[in-house]
Amino acid sequence: PEAFSPTPGTETATHYAEGGRKHPETHPLFAGPRIVDAEGGIVEVIPKRKKVAIVGFASSSREQAPYFDPEIEIWSINQLYRYTVRADRHFEMHQRPVFEADTVRDTDYVGWLQRTTIPVYMIETQPDMPMSVRYPVERVIARFGRDYFSSSIAFELALALFEGFEEIHIYGVDL
């Protein structure tokens, strides 16, 4: 697989200083997810992939995620977009006042959420964020009979199980 770092000479044009791709949907293996119903939390990828990698912030393993495996969807969280070279779906499961107040200095996370072209799961859709998707919490709870979402990773794991992924890989999560 290709190294995690951007191509030399392209860093300022296409990548963030931390190494992430400014437009993850331009990655050659981008899954091409499509929002079917933003309020219902329905996103589809055709052809459907059977494997998903949930990627968190921990530097111990986030760079080991299989960004260059065509069989795996990549799911990112919060402000991780600055570090990943590919993300097929993104999760921001905090209330808006929380993620606005918690933005890393000298970054434009809210602007990124407003401009991104990948689906972003949230507690509720945001009118100024066209790719926001309401997380289908009621359907997930109805399926599994339990309401225990203690972290963004828990939301991602539940959705991956709900959607029937056969393999779930976890990187960058040191909980």
Side-chain angles (χ1 to χ4, degrees):
E2 185 178 323
F4 177 74
S5 61
T7 305
T10 65
E11 293 87 351
T12 57
T14 61
H15 293 80
Y16 292 99
E18 297 86 350
R21 188 181 289 263
K22 288 186 179 177
H23 300 283
E25 73 282 2
T26 63
H27 190 283
L29 298 178
F30 181 64
R34 183 178 73 86
I35 298 172
V36 174
D37 179 354
E39 289 300 326
I42 301 172
V43 172
E44 70 178 5
V45 173
I46 298 175
K48 181 170 176 23
R49 296 183 183 185
K50 297 177 181 180
K51 303 173 186 178
V52 63
I54 293 170
V55 185
F57 273 96
S59 59
S60 61
S61 61
R62 74 173 176 236
E63 294 178 11
Q64 296 171 19
Y67 297 110
F68 299 93
D69 186 332
E71 296 182 4
I72 298 180
E73 247 189 80
I74 304 291
W75 291 2
S76 63
I77 61 167
N78 309 335
Q79 295 180 60
L80 188 64
Y81 70 97
R82 297 180 349 262
Y83 295 92
T84 60
V85 295
R86 177 178 134 218
D88 300 305
R89 301 191 214 184
H90 187 76
F91 289 72
E92 176 47 80
M93 300 308 298
H94 300 93
Q95 295 290 339
R96 187 165 185 156
V98 173
F99 71 74
E100 284 182 344
D102 199 30
T103 298
V104 174
R105 192 174 80 179
D106 298 327
T107 66
D108 184 19
Y109 182 47
V110 173
W112 183 84
L113 290 170
Q114 292 168 331
R115 292 184 305 271
T116 190
T117 59
I118 64 173
V120 179
Y121 288 90
M122 304 180 109
I123 298 296
E124 58 188 16
T125 58
Q126 301 293 313
D128 63 330
M129 297 175 181
M131 296 305 287
S132 62
V133 175
R134 183 179 177 277
Y135 185 90
V137 67
E138 295 86 2
R139 289 187 303 130
V140 172
I141 291 170
R143 169 82 180 278
F144 299 114
R146 184 140 188 180
D147 178 4
Y148 185 73
F149 298 105
S150 58
S151 68
S152 297
I153 303 303
F155 280 103
E156 289 177 293
L157 284 167
L159 188 62
L161 291 168
F162 180 80
E163 290 190 6
F165 281 93
E166 294 176 11
E167 286 185 25
I168 301 171
H169 302 243
I170 301 175
Y171 299 87
V173 179
D174 289 352
L175 298 178

